[in-house]
Amino acid sequence: MEVKDRVDKEYYILIKKVFKWVILSILLAIPIGIVVGLYNRILTAANSFRKEHELLILFLPIAGVIITFMYLRTKRNAY
């Protein structure tokens, strides 16, 4: 009878630990899912903006040259 009680107690402890980890997983999955969903929406909006304004992509090298010139002109370091 003593062995059966010990097995029952170990089984109860195992079930308790599994339940704890399931609850913790659910509690972490909810905010992570919200953040991933927001990131997806922001990424979709950024891609839509980029597709609607293709000239911005073409003028990025010119903006880079202007920014480099400004750094050189003011003798500032980017670090």
Side-chain angles (χ1 to χ4, degrees):
M1 191 72 169
E2 186 177 307
V3 173
K4 185 179 184 306
D5 289 339
R6 197 179 94 215
V7 170
D8 287 344
K9 186 176 180 180
E10 288 176 1
Y11 183 73
Y12 174 74
I13 290 171
L14 179 65
I15 293 296
K16 194 172 157 182
K17 286 181 181 181
V18 168
F19 185 72
K20 176 184 81 169
W21 283 109
V22 167
I23 295 298
L24 286 173
S25 298
I26 291 171
L27 289 176
L28 281 174
I30 292 170
I32 290 171
I34 291 170
V35 169
V36 169
L38 289 173
Y39 178 73
N40 186 23
R41 286 181 182 241
I42 291 169
L43 196 60
T44 302
N47 280 332
S48 296
F49 184 82
R50 181 184 58 83
K51 287 179 183 176
E52 292 171 3
H53 302 88
E54 289 184 7
L55 286 178
L56 286 177
I57 302 299
L58 296 176
F59 288 116
L60 278 177
I62 296 170
V65 169
I66 292 170
I67 291 170
T68 302
F69 174 76
M70 288 172 26
Y71 272 115
L72 292 174
R73 182 82 172 141
T74 59
K75 308 249 192 269
R76 290 190 153 207
N77 202 348
Y79 305 107

